[in-house]
Amino acid sequence: MDIGLPIGTAPETIPCPACGTSAGRVFTAPMLGLADRRRTAVLDHTEASRSAPPVVTSLPTSTARRAPAPRLDPRTARLPRP
């Protein structure tokens, strides 16, 4: 029988439900399998791209130029552009 208790509230020993003798604490892995599948997929993808990032072999084919970002402060309009 599995009894799950939060870490801060679990006593050092509890009575065994089958025989009544004192049983010590057992630490197990957290229940990560119960997480949302989409969130788990994002975490797995992030972890995979950290150690083996995708390699770009060619430049993008798009020829459209991006418009410059608007200036947030009108006082900076007279500053030289980089």
Side-chain angles (χ1 to χ4, degrees):
M1 177 178 213
D2 184 23
I3 300 173
L5 298 171
I7 290 176
T9 62
E12 288 297 320
T13 60
I14 60 170
C16 176
C19 65
T21 61
S22 180
R25 291 169 70 173
V26 177
F27 295 96
T28 60
M31 295 185 289
L32 298 176
L34 300 178
D36 180 28
R37 290 184 187 269
R38 289 178 290 177
R39 184 172 296 155
T40 305
V42 168
L43 291 173
D44 289 343
H45 175 71
T46 303
E47 185 65 30
S49 66
R50 180 184 308 164
S51 59
V55 177
V56 177
T57 58
S58 63
L59 295 173
T61 58
S62 175
T63 57
R65 281 191 58 151
R66 294 176 63 182
R71 297 185 186 264
L72 300 178
D73 189 351
R75 294 175 292 177
T76 61
R78 291 179 287 167
L79 291 175
R81 294 185 175 202

